């Protein structure tokens, strides 16, 4: 699952911060960054930035390009965009044809992928809960969480 594959499917916002977070966490390749920019953000680049974009070949190149773009846009912090990544992955999980049990298990697997965000604890199947939840209630908590992101 890659953000660029589900942007249109789930109508998620994408900007240079989302791309930057994706690259530094290895969720996007440099080629995917170029593809997303071509399809969604090209109009936000100057001629020079467009030329620079096509010299992006490595992860380091992509990070440097995105840092320069963020700096020129006076954006210092992109950590808030991590929630867009959460939503992208969670939406992709719940949109599969898997059973509810399999979806709950996948969410638990991605919890570690995102470095165990505290906000997810209440719907991770193996974490102690304040109340006893059945699988359907746990799944409903996931849906509710996604809706509120």
């Amino acid at each position: 699952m890659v953000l660029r594959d589900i942007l249109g499917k789930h109508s998620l916002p994408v900007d240079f911060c989302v791309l930057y977070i994706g690259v530094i966490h290895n969720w996007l390749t440099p080629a995917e960054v170029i593809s997303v920019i071509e399809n969604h953000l090209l109009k936000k680049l100057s001629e020079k930035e467009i030329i620079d974009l096509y010299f992006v070949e490595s992860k380091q190149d992509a990070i440097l390009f995105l840092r320069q773009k963020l700096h020129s846009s006076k954006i210092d912090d992109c950590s808030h965009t991590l929630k867009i990544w959460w939503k992208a992955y969670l939406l992709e999980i719940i949109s599969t044809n898997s059973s509810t049990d399999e979806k709950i298990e996948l969410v638990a697997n991605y919890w570690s992928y995102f470095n165990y965000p505290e906000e997810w604890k209440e719907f991770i199947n193996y974490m102690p809960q304040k109340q006893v939840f059945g699988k359907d209630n746990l799944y409903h908590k996931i849906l509710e969480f996604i809706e509120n992101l």
Side-chain angles (χ1 to χ4, degrees):
M1 288 183 288
V2 178
L3 181 68
R4 73 171 173 85
D5 295 333
I6 57 181
L7 277 172
K9 185 176 176 182
H10 300 295
S11 301
L12 296 171
V14 66
D15 59 23
F16 293 102
C17 274
V18 171
L19 298 178
Y20 178 72
I21 294 295
V23 170
I24 64 171
H25 289 286
N26 295 313
W27 301 329
L28 286 175
T29 66
E32 290 166 333
V33 168
I34 292 170
S35 175
V36 171
I37 290 172
E38 286 174 335
N39 292 318
H40 300 280
L41 301 169
L42 201 57
K43 291 179 182 176
K44 295 184 178 187
L45 297 179
S46 68
E47 278 187 38
K48 182 192 179 316
E49 289 170 329
I50 291 171
I51 292 167
D52 290 346
L53 174 67
Y54 292 108
F55 283 100
V56 169
E57 294 179 353
S58 69
K59 176 182 175 179
Q60 291 308 103
D61 292 342
I63 290 171
L64 180 62
F65 175 82
L66 292 167
R67 278 188 184 158
Q68 288 172 342
K69 182 60 184 166
L70 293 170
H71 179 73
S72 69
S73 301
K74 298 187 181 357
I75 299 171
D76 296 326
D77 182 23
C78 289
S79 60
H80 64 284
T81 61
L82 190 55
K83 290 185 179 183
I84 293 171
W85 283 96
W86 294 356
K87 190 169 189 172
Y89 279 88
L90 292 172
L91 283 169
E92 195 62 17
I93 289 168
I94 65 163
S95 69
T96 66
N97 292 328
S98 302
S99 70
T100 299
D101 287 348
E102 291 170 324
K103 291 176 185 181
I104 290 170
E105 188 66 32
L106 276 170
V107 168
N109 291 339
Y110 276 97
W111 188 45
S112 65
Y113 190 67
F114 287 107
N115 199 26
Y116 307 99
E118 188 73 25
E119 297 91 333
W120 291 33
K121 272 189 176 179
E122 70 179 62
F123 54 81
I124 301 301
N125 59 343
Y126 54 83
M127 292 299 295
Q129 305 295 323
K130 293 178 184 172
Q131 300 174 347
V132 178
F133 290 107
K135 294 285 185 176
D136 288 336
N137 287 333
L138 204 55
Y139 185 68
H140 179 72
K141 284 277 193 197
I142 295 168
L143 296 176
E144 199 174 83
F145 179 77
I146 293 169
E147 190 175 307
N148 291 322
L149 276 175

